[in-house]
């Protein structure tokens, strides 16, 4: 699976300093784990957290979940050592916070080699440089840092996220143009299921690949929102069948449910079925 086809419906932040949380993550139904050495770790724990996380990743047990390590910014006292330690852990990717330009990713690449990189998109400068950031040769995914972005923009919270829409859209355009994955920001009220449902639906409909999460209680909602429904899968199959029949009859378009189906609709239908197949491949085998 590539960066854009591997399921990333639910991407859960886990503190790298908490052994119990690191162990619990092995049994959670998330597509990816961001093992955090940055915001979730206090300054006096940051050095020890590297060893704690290294031991957990060396022990393994995370199955098909993608393992991503978020380090501190390189210009902090911990950043460079975080990067070297993270590289030694051999994660699936390293996530760099506060990326403002491709130069930030290049500085990290010089330390960690060819390990895939993820970029936190959380500042006004990052929004304006999104296309250039998305084009970095090692970038695999962009992660929206909506809390930090809202702070810098001095916005007020709105359920429709209207103040953030421009930034979200710029990053979506950049990610889609360069074929990298893009993950929506967190929803802070982890007990508000209706609010999370609404924000997941908004992100899915905009084109995000999944959502970053701050609590395991949010997993089921995110997984459901970013998984194609049975109705969507059935429609995709009917569109493909109808189009192939039309082509066999020498026609360029088909009609399904009173709507024209062209090759672009068929491409979307195939992507829907491919996503479902990738999700199924990630799921654990049922017990006998």
């Amino acid at each position: 699976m590539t960066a854009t086809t591997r399921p990333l419906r639910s991407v859960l932040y886990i503190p790298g300093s908490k052994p119990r949380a690191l162990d619990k993550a092995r049994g959670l139904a998330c597509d990816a784990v961001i093992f955090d050495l940055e915001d979730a770790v206090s300054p006096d724990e940051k050095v020890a957290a590297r060893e704690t996380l290294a031991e957990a990743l060396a022990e393994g047990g995370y199955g098909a979940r993608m393992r991503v390590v978020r380090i501190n910014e390189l210009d902090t006292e911990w950043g460079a050592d975080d990067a070297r330690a993270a590289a030694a852990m051999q994660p699936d990717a390293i996530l760099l916070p506060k990326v403002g330009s491709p130069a930030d990713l290049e500085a990290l690449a010089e330390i960690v080699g060819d390990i895939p990189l993820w970029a936190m998109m959380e500042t006004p400068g990052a929004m304006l440089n999104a296309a250039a950031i998305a084009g970095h040769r090692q970038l695999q995914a962009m992660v929206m840092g909506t809390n930090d972005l809202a702070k810098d923009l001095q916005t007020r919270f709105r359920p429709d996220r209207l103040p953030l829409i421009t930034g979200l859209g710029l990053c979506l355009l950049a990610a889609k143009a360069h074929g990298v994955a893009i993950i929506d920001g967190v929803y802070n009220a982890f007990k508000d299921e209706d609010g999370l449902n609404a924000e997941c639906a908004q992100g899915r409909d905009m084109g995000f690949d999944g959502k970053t999460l701050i609590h395991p209680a949010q997993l089921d909602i995110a997984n459901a929102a970013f998984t194609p429904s049975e109705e969507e899968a059935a429609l995709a199959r009917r569109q493909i069948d109808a189009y192939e029949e039309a082509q066999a009859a020498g026609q360029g378009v088909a009609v399904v449910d009173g709507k024209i189906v062209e090759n672009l609709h068929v491409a979307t239908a195939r992507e829907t079925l491919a996503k479902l197949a990738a999700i199924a491949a990630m799921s654990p085998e049922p017990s006998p």
Side-chain angles (χ1 to χ4, degrees):
M1 289 179 279
T2 67
T4 53
T5 61
R6 182 170 185 166
L8 290 169
R9 300 165 299 167
S10 51
V11 181
L12 181 65
Y13 286 103
I14 293 289
S17 58
K18 306 296 185 184
R20 284 187 61 187
L22 294 170
D23 181 57
K24 184 176 180 180
R26 294 183 172 95
L28 296 176
C30 52
D31 290 342
V33 179
I34 294 176
F35 299 100
D36 196 12
L37 296 176
E38 192 209 12
D39 287 345
V41 179
S42 64
D44 59 348
E45 291 182 310
K46 287 189 183 292
V47 174
R50 295 179 198 135
E51 183 175 348
T52 299
L53 178 55
E55 291 174 356
L57 291 180
E59 183 178 342
Y62 293 100
R65 299 167 192 83
M66 196 167 189
R67 301 161 304 124
V68 182
V69 177
R70 180 165 75 168
I71 65 173
N72 287 275
E73 294 174 69
L74 292 180
D75 61 0
T76 67
E77 61 183 285
W78 310 285
D81 287 338
D82 279 354
R84 284 186 281 269
M89 297 175 202
Q90 298 183 319
D92 296 306
I94 296 175
L95 173 58
L96 182 65
K98 298 292 193 301
V99 174
S101 73
D104 297 326
L105 295 173
E106 192 59 31
L108 178 57
E110 290 177 2
I111 299 173
V112 304
D114 59 1
I115 294 174
L117 306 181
W118 285 23
M120 288 295 307
M121 305 294 289
E122 51 189 340
T123 67
M127 305 302 104
L128 296 175
N129 290 329
I133 293 168
H136 189 276
R137 67 188 183 283
Q138 278 177 242
L139 190 71
Q140 186 183 72
M142 303 171 104
V143 180
M144 299 306 304
T146 44
N147 284 334
D148 281 273
L149 180 60
K151 175 184 69 69
D152 285 356
L153 293 177
Q154 298 178 309
T155 66
R156 292 184 177 182
F157 171 77
R158 288 175 52 129
D160 62 5
R161 297 199 292 180
L162 182 62
L164 302 177
I165 288 296
T166 297
L168 294 172
L170 286 170
C171 291
L172 273 163
L173 288 169
K176 302 302 180 180
H178 289 278
V180 299
I182 181 161
I183 315 301
D184 200 359
V186 300
Y187 186 75
N188 298 317
F190 65 88
K191 294 184 179 180
D192 178 9
E193 294 186 354
D194 291 340
L196 177 61
N197 257 315
E199 197 163 288
C200 283
Q202 181 195 44
R204 175 200 63 212
D205 293 350
M206 289 181 69
F208 283 98
D209 296 298
K211 194 159 186 68
T212 44
L213 309 170
I214 58 172
H215 195 281
Q218 298 177 314
L219 289 170
D220 289 346
I221 289 174
N223 283 338
F226 288 95
T227 299
S229 67
E230 293 181 6
E231 292 79 7
E232 290 172 319
L235 176 59
R237 295 185 185 97
R238 288 191 290 118
Q239 288 175 326
I240 293 169
D241 291 344
Y243 186 75
E244 290 178 347
E245 289 177 8
Q247 280 198 314
Q251 300 173 5
V253 298
V255 178
V256 174
D257 298 341
K259 297 179 181 179
I260 293 294
V261 176
E262 301 178 275
N263 58 351
L264 64 93
H265 302 108
V266 174
T268 300
R270 294 190 191 281
E271 289 174 2
T272 296
L273 298 182
K275 184 173 185 177
L276 279 171
I279 291 169
M282 290 265 302
S283 302
E285 292 294 327
S287 300

